[in-house]
Amino acid sequence: MTAHNQHSETNHCAGCGVALQTEQPDQLGYVPAQALARTPIICQRCFRIKNYNEASGITLNQDDFLRLLTHVGGTDSLVVNIVDIFDFEGSMISGLARFVGTNPVILVVNKIDLLPKVTNYNRIVNWVQRQAKEAGLRVVEVVLCSAKKNMGFERVIEALELHRKGRDIYVVGATNVGKSTLINRLIRDYSDLDAELTVSQYPGTTLDLVRIPLDDGASIIDTPGIVYKHRLTELVSKKDLMKVMPDRPIKPLVFQLNDQQTIFFGSLARFDFVQGERQSFTFYVSNALQAHRTKLERADELYEEHRGVLLSPPNREELEELPKLTKHPIRIPKNANLDVSVSGLGWIKVNGTAGADLAIHVPKGVKVAVRESVI
């Protein structure tokens, strides 16, 4: 584009330093051609952060992200790791402990508004602490909040004040955990928004980080969301994402099942109770998803005939895009208090104490985990 070339001496964004381009709106450095006449020229992303307080929607794959994190270990800062209580396993950053060095970590657990109303939050905090410890992550504090519903946010600010001690704050998290909502709250509470956005480029990454200056000279540094392909939420279409990700408190579904029974959630997941005494299972999934119960011996046939139609979401066309369902056999021992979690879909609590043989079928690559019961 000729307009672009004439500005070769100013072809970097004044806000974040990234190279400007006018061709690809969804890529970094995009600036509409008519905006090239402005001075200073800032990219659309900086313009939006500055004027509409939108945090960036840019994402990174795991390797680039971990390279970026390696840098954090060399700084003296506070790390805020945001995870999603609805997809705890899927939103934990594997290996985070190795990269943050000796820096303190606050674990902010978002979306607690999705848990059933009667939840005991102290138990959730204890559960999260045990899970983090199991993952090898030492955390100085666990804070529960809902950025969307504005619950617990004062607690987040207090925790930051307590542990920051004048240092920079790095905010890390997977995509869809509510990171931008939280960052926007921090900008509102902590900084003078007219301050120029400055962004530093770290070695080995292709992406600039958004640096939000704080009143005391330190900064909040927003790292790009990390995309984990093992979450169902990364595989489904935008339209189906609305059904899979709940937007209000979950009403748990309780099924009394005999063995050799199967439950489908659309064509996205299938739960088989293969063997064991009659017992109840509680399903914590978005209430926008319909459950279909059938006999195990009929399950394959039902799936072949009705996938993408009766068994939806997704619809037939979108189903072609999804990886094929893969079977995960799971044995629940006697007297165990366990959940089976499916990353991005929710979890199933095994209520009986008699033990059970189960099988979970989910699109290939989606993470299935057995864990201590959260509720």
Side-chain angles (χ1 to χ4, degrees), residues 10 12-15 20 31 35-43 47 50 196:
T10 55
H12 285 269
C13 168
L20 294 170
V31 60
L36 288 171
R38 280 198 216 119
T39 45
I41 307 177
I42 60 172
C43 71
F47 181 80
K50 226 175 139 163
E196 276 299 303

Side-chain angles (χ1 to χ4, degrees), residues 26 94 158 314:
D26 58 338
S94 48
E158 281 167 25

Side-chain angles (χ1 to χ4, degrees), residues 135-156:
L137 190 61
R138 281 198 328 240
V139 296
V140 290
E141 190 163 342
V142 169
V143 190
L144 307 182
C145 75
S146 162
K148 193 168 138 207
K149 292 278 189 281
N150 215 346
M151 296 160 62
F153 204 80
E154 280 51 51
R155 194 65 219 97
V156 175

Side-chain angles (χ1 to χ4, degrees), residues 187-206:
I187 293 177
R188 279 210 297 279
D189 285 28
Y190 261 142
S191 105
D192 162 17
L193 245 193
D194 296 336
E196 276 299 303
L197 280 170
T198 56
V199 175
S200 56
Q201 174 84 43
Y202 293 136
T205 70
T206 49

